[in-house]
Amino acid sequence: MRINFVIFGMNLTGGTRVVAEIINHLAERGHQMSVVTFGSPKDLRWIDLKAKVYYANRSLTQKIFGYLYRQAFGFQPWPEEETRQLIEFMPDCDINVATISYSGYAVNRSGKGVPFHYNMHYEPLVREEGYKKKIIEESYFLPTKKIVNSSWLAKQIKERVGRDVTGLVFPAIDHGIFYPRKEKPSTRRGRKIRIVSLAKYKWWKGLPDALKAIQIVRDRGYDIDFQTFGRIFDRNALPEEVRDIEFTFVGSRVNEQLAEFYSEADMLISASYFESFPLPPLEAMACGTPVVTTVYGTEDYAFDRKNALVVEPQKPEQMAEAIIELIGSESLYNQLREEGIKTAKSFTWEKAADRMEEIFKKAIEKNA
C-alpha cells in the first residue's frame, strides 16, 4: 500500500514518536510510506524515518504576502493557508492519514487516498475558548475515518461527536530500550526517595498538583528528591503558590538516557487532568519503576492496585496518600513493579503495526 501521513511538525514529542514508529514498522513490511510536514530535515535527527518526506514550507514570497495580509486585514487566513500548502505537496496514495486536527482538513479535501485521522487526544479539551478551538472542534465532524489511541478517546468521540471510531491502535514502547536495568533497594523507609515526573507546563498536565502532592509528602516527614524532565520548562510559568516548592528540572531525556532516568527513580507520578495513552507511565513500568497516575486516559494499561496506584485528577492530597502508601509497603511496591513490567511487555510496535495495517487493508477492500 502507498500510505501517507500528514504531520504538522516532526520535532520529538510523544505523538510524533508514536507516528514515526508506526511508519517505520509499516515500511519494514514493504509498504510505500510518505510524510507531508512543515519544518526541516533537522527535526528528524532523533529517528531514522523510513519514509519519503515532503516539506510543505512556504516560499519567501508567500511569507511576505502572509505578513502583508495580516497587517492589512488584522488576521491570518489560518488554517486555510496551511491546508492549501499541505495539499500542494501531498503525493498520490492509497491511504491518507491526518495526525492532528488541523491536518484533517488537508486530508479530507485532497481527494487522495482513503481519508483517515489517527486521533491521539480529544484536542478541544486542551484548548482555550476562541476561533482556533472552533476549528479544532469542527475537524472531528469531517468525514475522515477515525482511529484512536485509547479507549478513553473512543468514548470521548462517541459522546461528544456522536460517532463510533473505525479502530483502536494502542501506542507501544521499544523494549530494547525500556527494560529493568537494576534491582530496587529492599526498603525505602528512612532514606531519600527519588520521584520523577514529566515537566510540560500545560495547564492540563497537572504539574502544580504534582508539586502540591510532593510538598504534602515532605510535610509528613519524608525526604523526597523530586526530579522532572522535558524539552523546555520555565519555572516562572508555574502558579505562584507552588513556585517555591523544591524540585530539579533535568532537561530533555531521550531513549537510553530516559530509560536510565526512570530506572534510577523509586517511582514516577503523573498528575494530568486527562491524557490519551500517555507514554511516560508505561515506559517507567517497563523499567521496573512503580507508577502513581491519574485515571483519565490511562485506563488501557494502568489498573489500580494491580500494576499501579490510580487516583483522581486535581486531588493532590489523594496522590500524596498513594505516594506515602507506596513508600511504606514493600509488598505493594514489589507487586506494582512486577505487574508493571508484565503489562508493559504486552505493548509492542509490531502489534500496533498489525492493527493499523489491518484497518487500512479493510478500508481499501471496502472502497474497491
Side-chain angles (χ1 to χ4, degrees):
M1 291 182 285
R2 298 172 302 167
I3 305 171
N4 181 63
F5 280 79
V6 182
I7 309 169
F8 258 49
M10 285 301 300
N11 285 311
L12 177 58
T13 65
T16 54
R17 175 176 289 283
V18 169
V19 173
E21 291 286 358
I22 289 174
I23 286 172
N24 281 354
H25 281 78
L26 289 173
E28 290 171 359
R29 297 170 183 222
H31 299 296
Q32 183 180 321
M33 307 302 299
S34 61
V35 169
V36 183
T37 184
F38 298 114
S40 68
K42 68 179 182 181
D43 299 335
L44 282 166
R45 289 174 181 169
W46 58 275
I47 192 168
D48 178 19
L49 192 67
K50 297 176 173 62
K52 183 172 183 179
V53 182
Y54 298 85
Y55 293 99
N57 294 316
R58 294 183 297 164
S59 66
L60 179 60
T61 300
Q62 290 171 317
K63 291 179 181 178
I64 293 173
F65 178 80
Y67 172 77
L68 294 174
Y69 190 101
R70 291 192 298 274
Q71 294 301 307
F73 298 102
F75 68 93
Q76 181 175 346
W78 179 94
E80 294 297 324
E81 186 177 348
E82 284 78 4
T83 297
R84 288 193 295 271
Q85 196 78 6
L86 290 169
I87 292 173
E88 180 182 340
F89 283 83
M90 198 174 289
D92 290 330
C93 54
D94 302 307
I95 298 291
N96 209 357
V97 190
T99 57
I100 193 171
S101 55
Y102 313 139
S103 59
Y105 293 98
V107 165
N108 181 58
R109 296 176 189 175
S110 70
K112 296 182 177 181
V114 180
F116 278 89
H117 191 155
Y118 185 32
N119 296 95
M120 291 179 278
H121 212 309
Y122 189 71
E123 295 174 49
L125 280 178
V126 299
R127 287 287 185 171
E128 302 296 337
E129 295 295 331
Y131 175 68
K132 288 186 178 182
K133 182 173 181 176
K134 291 185 182 299
I135 291 174
I136 292 169
E137 287 175 333
E138 289 169 5
S139 73
Y140 286 81
F141 292 89
L142 292 171
T144 51
K145 299 180 185 298
K146 310 296 185 196
I147 303 173
V148 296
N149 69 342
S150 73
S151 301
W152 173 85
L153 184 52
K155 182 179 178 182
Q156 294 298 311
I157 291 177
K158 178 65 174 177
E159 291 178 350
R160 298 172 184 271
V161 184
R163 292 182 57 181
D164 292 315
V165 301
T166 300
L168 178 59
V169 177
F170 293 134
I173 56 177
D174 186 338
H175 294 280
I177 295 174
F178 298 102
Y179 59 86
R181 280 166 164 72
K182 59 185 74 174
E183 289 296 322
K184 302 291 183 184
S186 60
T187 180
R188 271 147 291 284
R189 293 181 180 178
R191 68 172 179 82
K192 187 183 284 290
I193 306 299
R194 179 175 293 180
I195 300 176
V196 300
S197 181
L198 175 65
K200 193 172 185 180
Y201 190 66
K202 295 182 177 179
W203 63 270
W204 51 276
K205 288 288 185 179
L207 182 59
D209 287 342
L211 286 166
K212 290 177 183 177
I214 291 296
Q215 190 58 52
I216 292 170
V217 175
R218 286 174 175 158
D219 290 344
R220 300 276 185 88
Y222 294 89
D223 188 5
I224 304 296
D225 173 21
F226 187 41
Q227 298 190 10
T228 65
F229 69 99
R231 287 177 57 208
I232 301 172
F233 184 77
D234 179 8
R235 185 185 289 263
N236 292 325
L238 288 168
E240 190 172 348
E241 62 178 333
V242 298
R243 207 172 291 165
D244 293 332
I245 296 176
E246 182 184 349
F247 71 97
T248 303
F249 176 63
V250 302
S252 180
R253 293 289 185 271
V254 179
N255 296 336
E256 294 288 346
Q257 280 188 333
L258 182 56
E260 289 285 352
F261 181 71
Y262 290 141
S263 298
E264 291 169 358
D266 291 291
M267 69 183 77
L268 175 138
I269 62 174
S270 176
S272 294
Y273 297 174
F274 29 70
E275 292 275 4
S276 188
F277 208 102
L279 290 178
L282 189 64
E283 291 168 343
M285 284 183 181
C287 294
T289 300
V291 166
V292 178
T293 183
T294 47
V295 61
Y296 301 119
T298 59
E299 297 95 329
D300 294 306
Y301 65 78
F303 309 111
D304 190 34
R305 312 197 74 81
K306 178 182 178 184
N307 63 3
L309 291 184
V310 182
V311 301
E312 291 294 321
Q314 303 184 66
K315 293 186 178 180
E317 297 85 0
Q318 195 177 116
M319 176 163 279
E321 291 296 338
I323 291 169
I324 291 170
E325 181 180 7
L326 197 50
I327 292 172
S329 174
E330 283 300 310
S331 60
L332 178 62
Y333 189 92
N334 291 331
Q335 175 190 322
L336 299 192
R337 170 179 163 80
E338 293 167 7
E339 292 298 325
I341 292 169
K342 291 178 185 177
T343 298
K345 285 180 179 178
S346 68
F347 292 95
T348 68
W349 291 117
E350 288 74 18
K351 288 183 181 178
D354 282 344
R355 182 65 181 129
M356 194 73 84
E357 186 179 46
E358 178 187 6
I359 292 169
F360 291 161
K361 284 181 177 178
K362 285 183 178 179
I364 289 177
E365 290 169 3
K366 189 173 181 179
N367 280 30

